[in-house]
Amino acid sequence: MIGLVNVTCTFDGEKALDELGMHVPKGALFGLVGPGGCGKSTLCKVVCGLVRPDSGVVVVAGVDLTKADRKALQALQSRCGVQFQNDALFEHMTALDNVSYPLRRLTDLPPVDIEDRARTRLAMVGLAGFEDRPPNRLSGGQRRRVALARACVTDPEILICGDPTAGLDPVTSRRILDMIAGIRYESKNTVILTSSDVLGLMSVADRVALMWEGRVIHEGTPPTFWRAELPEVRRFLDDARLPFGGAPWD
Amino acid sequence: MGLSTPVRQVGRLLVGASRETGGAARLLVQIGKRLVPPQMDRSELRRCLLRMGYKSLSIIVATAFVVGVILVIQAFVFVDRYGLRSQLGWGAGFVTVRELGPILFALMFSGRVGAYTAAELGTMQVTDQVDGLRCLAIDPISYLVVPRFVAMIVALVCLTVIGNAVALVSASVMGQILMEVDQHTFWSSLTAMLTPWDFFTSVFKSAFFGAIIAVTSCYYGLATTGGAPGVGRAVNRSVVASAAAIFVVDYFSTFVLG
């Protein structure tokens, strides 16, 4: 579904991605972890075509993003749902308008159906009754849930969630991760999820990859990741202050 | 070695200026490509016209009124000394329509609308809203920039025409109060001496100034990095660059248009 080969991305002379290789199978919930500044956000932006890499090949749903023109890129982007770390909600719109906006732009559904579907998505993320609130009258967790509802309202083939739990309390963080897992279960879409809540991410992901200085240095199922002997994995789990040894689900 | 630092600083300044001018020119080309045939969000255009044009009317009218009054007060000494009461309408009209009106209204417009646009787009940029639009397969240039570009040109031209009229009316009223120049004398000297070309020059300049304000504010807005402080820097640069560009273009257009 998503394949990256030798992808390098440089900003102001610094490599954000360094000959990165990665494969995400169709229908997987793929977790990306790594220390801050390791290139997770850049990788998400490369996958949804927001950043063009300097070199390498990026193939998403059969489209080579490094060769795609503007129209091909837009066609692919209409098949992706992206939740940004800082929500990226349109501040001049209500929560309902934010969620219904992708449907208005990308589908030919009648307005009644659009509103109906947007309300259903908001209810699904636990925000029934908040439809008419503008984003500046929502809490951090509520904003994040509106952003999630907006990202998945079109039932995208690929859902990219860039640290949807950043800055949230542990309870809200887990609720959001569970919601993402629920959406994937219902829609059968492919999900790339980065999160600072490593333990929470590993409890919902099928596969987890560790990014380190612009590269994916280890990838596996959560249990194998947990037990990996690679020094960087151990160091990362140590820095994340997670208990070593047996996986919590053993 | 001692000279190398200033030389390096000048070089850095020139490179930075070239990069920004090039970036703005590139944005202008992108806008041009989307204008033929027009690719823009019409509802966004309506919103921009309302916000930039209608809601700027009061500040432009207030500025224009004061411009007309000040013009007459400043001219009072010379008009009185040389007995040029019959030429007051022409003098006020010439200065207002050809030069003072377009440039002052453009600077006011830049401070109000240009700064707002740079801040708005800058905030959208640093909060990933622009990327959010791209992810919805919406071209940010067509959706955000082109409607603002068209709206700023249309709004500034209309505001300049209205502002010129208000400035002339206030000048005529002030002339009557201060110098006892009756309305008929004022307006007949104005209509006899000013040509349609003078009014065309005013419209042409304001259209150009509107385009300059639109391109600079959109460019600096979309190029914003560095969170909230970055938005402040973008607004500052946008207003300064717009003002500088307005004066430079005014200089050349005055040469070309006579």
Side-chain angles (χ1 to χ4, degrees):
Chain A
M1 188 68 179
I2 299 167
L4 294 93
V5 182
N6 288 337
V7 173
T8 300
C9 221
T10 313
F11 297 113
D12 296 327
E14 279 188 34
K15 280 185 179 173
L17 301 180
D18 187 7
E19 298 195 352
L20 177 140
M22 192 178 88
H23 174 71
V24 181
K26 190 174 181 180
L29 201 164
F30 194 90
L32 269 177
V33 295
C38 68
K40 299 189 294 284
S41 301
T42 306
L43 176 58
C44 289
K45 287 188 174 182
V46 166
V47 169
C48 59
L50 291 175
V51 171
R52 207 177 270 261
D54 303 331
S55 62
V57 178
V58 183
V59 179
V60 179
V63 180
D64 184 350
L65 296 189
T66 48
K67 290 176 184 161
D69 59 9
R70 191 157 64 99
K71 283 196 173 166
L73 209 58
Q74 285 185 338
L76 177 76
Q77 283 166 342
S78 65
R79 295 159 65 192
C80 296
V82 184
Q83 183 193 12
F84 292 90
Q85 187 178 337
N86 47 15
D87 310 326
L89 295 177
F90 302 125
E91 299 290 337
H92 62 286
M93 295 181 185
T94 63
L96 183 69
D97 287 340
N98 262 289
V99 178
S100 56
Y101 192 66
L103 292 170
R104 276 190 271 138
R105 297 292 306 204
L106 301 173
T107 69
D108 298 323
L109 288 171
V112 180
D113 291 354
I114 287 176
E115 193 181 322
D116 212 37
R117 206 156 141 187
R119 282 181 188 279
T120 309
R121 281 294 182 198
L122 275 174
M124 202 182 82
V125 295
L127 287 177
F130 289 81
E131 290 88 351
D132 296 328
R133 289 222 190 158
N136 60 14
R137 287 188 53 218
L138 295 171
S139 70
Q142 288 167 342
R143 286 174 66 97
R144 214 55 63 81
R145 282 185 275 160
V146 173
L148 180 61
R150 187 179 69 178
C152 66
V153 72
T154 55
D155 287 330
E157 286 173 54
I158 299 160
L159 179 62
I160 298 165
C161 301
D163 208 348
T165 59
L168 298 181
D169 63 89
V171 176
T172 314
S173 168
R174 286 301 164 88
R175 279 186 69 187
I176 286 183
L177 291 176
D178 287 343
M179 280 171 193
I180 292 169
I183 289 163
R184 196 282 299 255
Y185 182 77
E186 276 181 18
S187 309
K188 311 283 181 229
N189 46 16
T190 307
V191 181
I192 293 182
L193 171 64
T194 73
S195 178
S196 44
D197 180 358
V198 180
L199 205 57
L201 184 141
M202 288 213 276
S203 69
V204 296
D206 301 326
R207 299 188 72 78
V208 181
L210 175 67
M211 281 193 71
W212 200 271
E213 294 175 354
R215 288 165 173 246
V216 170
I217 60 163
H218 182 75
E219 190 207 317
T221 60
T224 57
F225 185 88
W226 200 259
R227 296 191 195 95
E229 295 295 328
L230 201 69
E232 284 86 354
V233 177
R234 307 288 1 136
R235 196 171 136 197
F236 173 71
L237 293 174
D238 187 24
D239 287 348
R241 296 183 189 286
L242 295 175
F244 293 156
W249 46 83
D250 275 350
Chain B
M1 290 300 281
L3 280 175
S4 66
T5 306
V7 170
R8 202 175 295 151
Q9 279 176 346
V10 170
R12 203 173 291 153
L13 201 73
L14 285 174
V15 169
S18 309
R19 190 184 294 140
E20 291 186 353
T21 311
R26 200 165 153 235
L27 180 65
L28 187 62
V29 171
Q30 287 177 313
I31 293 168
K33 278 182 185 170
R34 285 157 181 85
L35 279 172
V36 192
Q39 298 169 36
M40 74 175 104
D41 190 291
R42 285 174 201 279
S43 62
E44 186 67 10
L45 177 64
R46 275 195 296 275
R47 265 199 302 275
C48 289
L49 279 171
L50 177 74
R51 204 176 53 213
M52 295 168 178
Y54 179 68
K55 291 189 176 174
S56 301
L57 194 58
S58 55
I59 190 76
I60 294 293
V61 166
T63 309
F65 179 80
V66 175
V67 166
V69 169
I70 291 172
L71 206 65
V72 173
I73 292 172
Q74 290 286 354
F76 175 69
V77 178
F78 300 100
V79 169
D80 197 44
R81 185 182 297 165
Y82 298 108
L84 293 170
R85 282 184 166 75
S86 61
Q87 303 299 315
L88 183 66
W90 167 70
F94 191 83
V95 172
T96 304
V97 172
R98 299 253 338 190
E99 197 57 53
L100 218 50
I103 210 159
L104 275 179
F105 303 142
L107 290 174
M108 290 301 293
F109 192 78
S110 166
R112 188 187 181 276
V113 176
Y116 179 89
T117 302
E120 185 186 32
L121 297 188
T123 306
M124 289 185 80
Q125 181 68 36
V126 297
T127 57
D128 286 337
Q129 289 180 56
V130 176
D131 281 345
L133 287 173
R134 283 198 189 99
C135 286
L136 296 173
I138 299 167
D139 175 25
I141 307 288
S142 302
Y143 183 71
L144 294 173
V145 178
V146 176
R148 280 163 178 76
F149 180 81
V150 174
M152 281 197 213
I153 292 174
V154 173
L156 188 55
V157 167
C158 295
L159 289 170
T160 303
V161 170
I162 295 167
N164 283 342
V166 171
L168 292 176
V169 168
S170 72
S172 73
V173 171
M174 199 60 193
Q176 190 160 31
I177 294 168
L178 208 64
M179 301 179 212
E180 294 169 352
V181 176
D182 64 84
Q183 293 291 312
H184 181 261
T185 309
F186 183 94
W187 291 106
S188 56
S189 83
L190 187 143
T191 48
M193 304 290 271
L194 283 189
T195 62
W197 179 253
D198 295 317
F199 290 96
F200 170 76
T201 304
S202 183
V203 168
F204 183 81
K205 277 185 176 181
S206 57
F208 241 102
F209 296 159
I212 287 168
I213 296 165
V215 172
T216 47
S217 60
C218 290
Y219 169 72
Y220 283 108
L222 291 177
T224 304
T225 53
V231 176
R233 276 196 299 274
V235 172
N236 184 22
R237 285 177 185 168
S238 160
V239 173
V240 172
S242 292
I246 284 168
F247 283 115
V248 171
V249 168
D250 186 54
Y251 173 79
F252 285 109
S253 62
T254 304
F255 253 123
V256 173
L257 298 170

